């Protein structure tokens, strides 16, 4: 992946991207392109109509529960070795009208 100041080989490093479709700072298409270039295992959580920060601040938002659940599932899968966590991630990340999750394990 290309970053300012260099490139980094993240081959084989588990990847979770969370991106809002209405992000005014980082266009959704760029987040999606980064996901497409990442090696597996990788996951891309799309937050419908979310901007750049509302899902990550102390101000309550409709995205809080899905971001929290998906993040914990991801950590449980790749840091905790929980073999059921990837299925929970897929379930918790796909909420009709709120979020979708793409995965390439």
């Amino acid at each position: 992946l290309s970053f300012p100041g260099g490139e980094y080989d993240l081959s084989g490093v588990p990847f979770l991207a969370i991106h809002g479709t209405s992000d005014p700072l980082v266009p959704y298409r760029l987040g999606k392109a980064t996901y497409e270039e990442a090696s597996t295992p990788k996951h891309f959580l799309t937050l419908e109509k979310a901007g750049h920060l509302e899902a990550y601040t102390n101000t309550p938002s409709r995205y809080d529960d899905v971001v929290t659940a998906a993040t914990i599932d991801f950590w449980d899968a790749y840091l905790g070795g929980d073999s059921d966590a990837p299925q929970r991630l897929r379930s918790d990340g796909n909420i009709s009208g709120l979020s979708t999750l793409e995965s390439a394990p």
Side-chain angles (χ1 to χ4, degrees):
L1 299 175
S2 178
F3 292 92
E7 291 190 7
Y8 302 89
D9 181 5
L10 302 176
S11 301
V13 175
F15 180 72
L16 171 64
I18 304 173
H19 208 112
T21 59
S22 297
D23 188 330
L25 298 177
V26 180
Y28 179 78
R29 65 179 171 69
L30 293 180
K32 188 71 170 176
T34 299
Y35 168 77
E36 296 297 333
E37 291 182 27
S39 63
T40 59
K42 62 183 179 178
H43 309 275
F44 190 83
L45 181 64
T46 296
L47 303 176
E48 298 298 329
K49 300 179 184 173
H52 189 72
L53 292 176
E54 68 252 44
Y56 315 106
T57 64
N58 288 333
T59 304
S61 81
R62 65 190 208 121
Y63 307 104
D64 291 348
D65 290 341
V66 69
V67 168
T68 299
T71 301
I72 290 170
D73 294 339
F74 178 79
W75 289 345
D76 283 349
Y78 298 105
L79 296 178
D82 182 342
S83 62
D84 295 326
Q87 179 57 39
R88 287 196 312 273
L89 176 58
R90 285 186 289 279
S91 175
D92 291 341
N94 287 296
I95 307 297
S96 181
L98 184 69
S99 63
T100 56
L101 181 87
E102 294 178 56
S103 294

